[in-house]
Amino acid sequence: MTDLLGFALLAFTSFFTLINPIGTMPIFMTMTADLDTPHRNYTARKASIAAFITIIAFAFSGQLLFNFFGISVNSFRVVGGVIFFLMGMDMLQARLSSIKVHGKGKAEKKEIVDDISITPLAIPMISGPGAITNAIVMMEDADTVQHKLVLISSIFGVLLLTYLILLSSGKILKLLGNTGKNVLMRLMGLIVMVIAVEFFFSGMKPIIIDILKSAQ
């Protein structure tokens, strides 16, 4: 029982740290700033569900898929870095949400929600390389059915908490107003671009080292 509790605590804390819902919230706020409350809430719900499905899918089959396609986690980091950087560029110019959403009808807004809720919100922001790698490693360490159930429950708990945190972004947006929203978007754009660079080079470094080793 003590071992199971320790495993549950490790799983919950590691996934909460890697997913970082508090850090994701400002970016979610800027991307959904021009959406009404129902569409914003729907975006948060869909992104959280998609992230949960992605993490669980990789937990059970990630290592097999990576080996089959010859994909490494480092390659995933590089792609995530590129996506983050492009998103940060738009945010830095305070144009990320206004260009996509302004003047759109209900059907078009739903299409926008479907677009951003999967990429980049669910993948790679919520279920990023760190969370996916952690899921694969911890699933391999889960020797019993009880440990596997605890791991799945921990992932569900973290993503439920992420969903609730994202829901609270609507209240914060009301307090900020348009000026505050634009300032926050530019600030977060800069931070996202810095994160993108870190993602990119943390993935590129081992790849380059492997290339140099094979060239020798």
Side-chain angles (χ1 to χ4, degrees):
M1 181 62 72
T2 305
D3 177 56
L4 206 61
L5 194 61
F7 184 78
L9 186 62
L10 175 63
F12 186 88
T13 52
S14 61
F15 276 107
F16 185 84
T17 304
L18 290 166
I19 291 173
N20 189 15
I22 296 171
T24 302
M25 185 179 69
I27 304 169
F28 172 81
M29 286 166 57
T30 56
M31 293 190 71
T32 60
D34 291 342
L35 292 172
D36 53 33
T37 301
H39 281 96
R40 189 183 302 115
N41 293 347
Y42 175 66
T43 304
R45 183 168 65 253
K46 185 168 183 179
S48 300
I49 293 171
F52 176 74
I53 293 171
T54 301
I55 293 173
I56 293 298
F58 272 102
F60 281 99
S61 62
Q63 194 63 56
L64 183 66
L65 287 172
F66 276 21
N67 292 336
F68 182 78
F69 290 106
I71 301 169
S72 69
V73 176
N74 293 320
S75 300
F76 199 80
R77 284 195 181 100
V78 171
V79 173
V82 172
I83 293 172
F84 273 15
F85 191 85
L86 294 174
M87 185 178 69
M89 284 283 287
D90 276 346
M91 291 173 70
L92 196 61
Q93 298 172 57
R95 71 183 186 187
L96 185 64
S97 59
S98 58
I99 282 182
K100 290 185 175 180
V101 180
H102 184 68
K104 302 291 186 182
K106 286 184 178 180
E108 289 168 309
K109 279 188 178 181
K110 187 180 183 302
E111 186 178 341
I112 291 163
V113 168
D114 291 340
D115 181 32
I116 66 173
S117 60
I118 304 300
T119 305
L121 285 176
I123 309 167
M125 279 178 57
I126 299 175
S127 56
I132 287 173
T133 306
N134 193 51
I136 294 170
V137 171
M138 292 203 76
M139 185 57 76
E140 288 181 354
D141 292 341
D143 299 326
T144 65
V145 175
Q146 288 87 348
H147 280 80
K148 292 182 190 299
L149 290 174
V150 164
L151 179 60
I152 294 169
S153 300
S154 298
I155 296 169
F156 178 79
V158 171
L159 286 169
L160 178 61
L161 194 57
T162 300
Y163 170 62
L164 295 174
I165 289 171
L166 294 182
L167 284 184
S168 68
S169 65
K171 296 176 183 178
I172 299 172
L173 274 174
K174 289 180 181 178
L175 294 173
L176 287 174
N178 286 330
T179 303
K181 180 193 73 176
N182 288 334
V183 170
L184 180 66
M185 188 184 292
R186 286 187 168 92
L187 178 63
M188 289 310 302
L190 186 63
I191 294 171
V192 168
M193 290 176 77
V194 172
I195 294 171
V197 172
E198 290 289 337
F199 259 62
F200 185 83
F201 284 106
S202 68
M204 280 299 295
K205 184 179 177 181
I207 292 173
I208 291 172
I209 289 172
D210 287 343
I211 291 171
L212 292 174
K213 282 182 179 179
S214 62
Q216 291 177 352

